[in-house]
Amino acid sequence: MASDARVTVGIIGGTGLYQLEGFEGAQWIAVQSPFGKPSDELLIGDLEGYRVAFLPRHGRGHRVSPSEVNYRANIDALKRAGVDRVLAFSAVGSLNADLAPGKFVLVDQYIDRTSGRESSFFGEGFVAHVSMADPVCSTMNDAVEEAAGSLDIDLVRGGTYLAMNGPQFSTRAESNLYRSWGADIIGMTNMPEAKLAREAEMAYTTVAMVTDYDCWHEEHEDVSASLVLEVLRSNTDGARALVKAAVPVIGALDAPFPSGVHTALEHAIATAPQDRDPALMRKLDAVAGRVLKNEGWAG
């Protein structure tokens, strides 16, 4: 039965994930953002009794390259839709012999090797520094792990995600370098997505779906787009099942979470109130609205 509750659970991922049995009353809704155009409209409906907003990270039809995704607009649009917790899915290559194609990894750390992407909502005239020591929400990881326990999927908790620019895949030298750093998986999309979610005081976690061994493994073929898509298609059923199982567990969690993500801006804003840029503050009415209103800002 559909719920009248406000949207709380955000899902970021690929096309197959929103083709879910039982996604009731789902409608594509355009959400405007002062940070530009999101990758697509949000598909908003009810799933397992909870309100859900789904965002295809690359747009329907996979139109947007990883380096051209407007990550700020995507996160801001979800925040404006009432989302305060995000479950993101991402196709990744494995840098760890124990993480074979087909495995799902609950990420707990990142190495950010991206460049040229807008990685913060804040800037000149309104500066903030959030902590990224623990870049994903442990409360969310607990919930997803619990949900996965009832499913026939091979999920591993814990792993370091190396975020690269793309859209090209790694060179063999890069792949081996990243392995020497202790990275477990490699992908192109979770940074700055995770950083922006933290600035927006949103609980964020990633289920990384392993599709290949990048290009370091001598006994396996080098990664290619066709290989990624082939394995990703086989992972889709497991991802759909995990979404259906995880939404009611995540949705039932009371905010603020023990992980502290919902108060990430509490002591992060560095600019004194009298020195803040009013135009930038207005753009941040959703992202930083909680702390600004607590300070008496009227918008």
Side-chain angles (χ1 to χ4, degrees), residues 17 24 37 48 123 129 151 192 218 224 233 248 255 267 278 284 292:
L17 291 182
E24 300 176 358
K37 186 177 180 181
E48 301 295 317
H129 306 279
L151 303 174
E218 295 179 357
S224 65
R233 279 191 288 267
H267 304 291
L284 289 162
L292 291 175

Side-chain angles (χ1 to χ4, degrees), residues 6 17 28 41 56 110 146 159 203 285 289:
R6 70 182 180 88
L17 291 182
W28 289 101
E41 298 174 330
Y110 292 100
E146 176 187 337
D285 63 329

Side-chain angles (χ1 to χ4, degrees), residues 165-177:
N165 251 15
Q168 304 86 357
F169 295 115
S170 305
T171 68
R172 214 175 309 280
E174 289 169 334
S175 192
N176 283 303
L177 174 65

Side-chain angles (χ1 to χ4, degrees), residues 255-271:
F257 293 173
S259 63
V261 293
H262 291 125
T263 54
L265 290 175
E266 200 69 45
H267 304 291
I269 297 175
T271 309

Side-chain angles (χ1 to χ4, degrees), residues 7-14 16-18 20 23 28 41-43 47 51-57 74-75 78 83-90 140 144 193 202-205 207 239-240 242-248 250-251:
V7 175
T8 56
V9 181
I11 308 291
I12 301 176
L17 291 182
Y18 60 78
L20 290 166
F23 198 4
W28 289 101
E41 298 174 330
L42 302 183
L43 184 64
L47 181 66
R51 199 78 167 151
V52 170
F54 179 86
L55 174 65
R57 186 186 284 114
N74 284 354
I75 294 297
L78 287 169
V83 171
D84 72 344
R85 59 204 71 183
V86 175
L87 175 58
F89 286 81
S90 182
M140 288 279 284
V144 176
E193 194 173 84
M202 298 164 76
Y204 177 93
T205 194
V207 175
R240 287 192 192 121
L242 184 54
V243 168
K244 290 194 69 174
V247 161
I250 293 169

Side-chain angles (χ1 to χ4, degrees), residues 1 18 36 46 99 117 127 141 197 200 234 265-266 283:
M1 181 165 56
Y18 60 78
D46 293 277
L99 299 177
R117 302 181 182 185
V127 177
N141 272 1
S234 68
L265 290 175
E266 200 69 45
K283 291 177 69 173

